Amino acid sequence: MWDTLLMAFALMLVLEGLVPFLMPGVWRETFRKLTETGDNQIRFIGLTSMLAGLLLLYLVK
């Protein structure tokens, strides 16, 4: 199980690094806008992301 978890974490890091590597200006602007949003909006984005991940895991499994 640890192998699968580490592979998933490694894949997440690769995917997270794609946008800053390919489009650093877009990433910087997006990050700047994100720092200006409120806590509740950031929490909603995090919750939506987690739910989408859980749904995807459910559909794959």
Side-chain angles (χ1 to χ4, degrees):
M1 174 169 162
W2 284 105
D3 292 345
T4 304
L5 185 61
L6 287 175
M7 284 191 306
F9 185 67
L11 183 59
M12 181 206 65
L13 290 174
V14 169
L15 293 174
E16 287 283 330
L18 278 176
V19 175
F21 178 74
L22 295 174
M23 299 177 288
V26 172
W27 181 83
R28 185 179 296 112
E29 183 63 23
T30 302
F31 192 77
R32 185 189 62 75
K33 288 179 183 177
L34 186 60
T35 61
E36 295 173 355
T37 59
D39 288 348
N40 288 336
Q41 288 176 313
I42 293 174
R43 283 190 179 104
F44 179 74
I45 292 168
L47 177 63
T48 304
S49 177
M50 289 188 298
L51 292 176
L54 286 172
L55 178 63
L56 184 60
L57 281 174
Y58 176 77
L59 292 174
V60 169
K61 195 74 174 167

